[in-house]
C-alpha cells in the first residue's frame, strides 16, 4: 500500500481502538476470495470514510434530500 493508505489505516485503527493488524485480518476474512487483499483494503477504507462523512452530516442535521449529490442517475 501507498504511504497515504497506511496513514488512513492508522487513523481508522486509532478511531476504532484496534490495530491495523485487526482491521486487515477482518478484511481478509470477509473479502471475496477472488479479490486481492490490497483491493479489499482500499474498498473498505473508501466505504469507511464515506460512512464517517455521512454520519457526521446527519449529526449536524443535514437532511437526506440535501445529500442528492451522492446519488448517480
Amino acid at each position: 500500500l501507498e504511504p497515504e493508505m497506511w496513514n488512513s489505516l492508522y487513523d481508522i485503527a486509532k478511531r476504532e481502538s484496534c490495530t491495523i493488524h485487526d482491521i486487515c485480518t477482518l478484511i481478509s476474512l470477509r473479502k471475496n476470495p477472488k479479490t486481492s487483499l490490497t483491493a479489499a483494503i482500499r474498498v473498505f477504507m473508501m466505504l469507511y470514510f464515506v460512512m464517517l462523512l455521512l454520519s457526521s452530516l446527519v449529526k449536524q442535521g443535514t437532511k437526506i434530500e440535501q445529500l442528492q449529490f451522492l446519488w448517480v442517475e
Side-chain angles (χ1 to χ4, degrees):
L1 290 172
E2 299 79 14
E4 296 81 8
M5 296 293 179
W6 284 109
N7 291 339
S8 293
L9 269 176
Y10 174 80
D11 291 342
I12 293 169
K14 185 175 177 182
R15 201 176 243 299
E16 299 297 325
S17 301
C18 64
T19 67
I20 290 174
H21 182 266
D22 293 336
I23 294 170
C24 292
T25 299
L26 179 63
I27 294 168
S28 180
L29 292 171
R30 303 285 315 263
K31 74 175 187 64
N32 183 317
K34 295 179 182 179
T35 302
S36 72
L37 181 57
T38 302
I41 290 170
R42 286 189 174 109
V43 169
F44 167 81
M45 287 190 295
M46 186 242 347
L47 292 173
Y48 182 90
F49 286 115
V50 165
M51 293 306 296
L52 191 62
L53 171 64
L54 290 174
S55 175
S56 176
L57 290 170
V58 168
K59 284 179 185 174
Q60 292 175 16
T62 304
K63 303 217 179 340
I64 289 292
E65 300 81 34
Q66 295 171 296
L67 301 177
Q68 290 180 353
F69 70 92
L70 295 173
W71 281 263
V72 178
E73 295 183 22

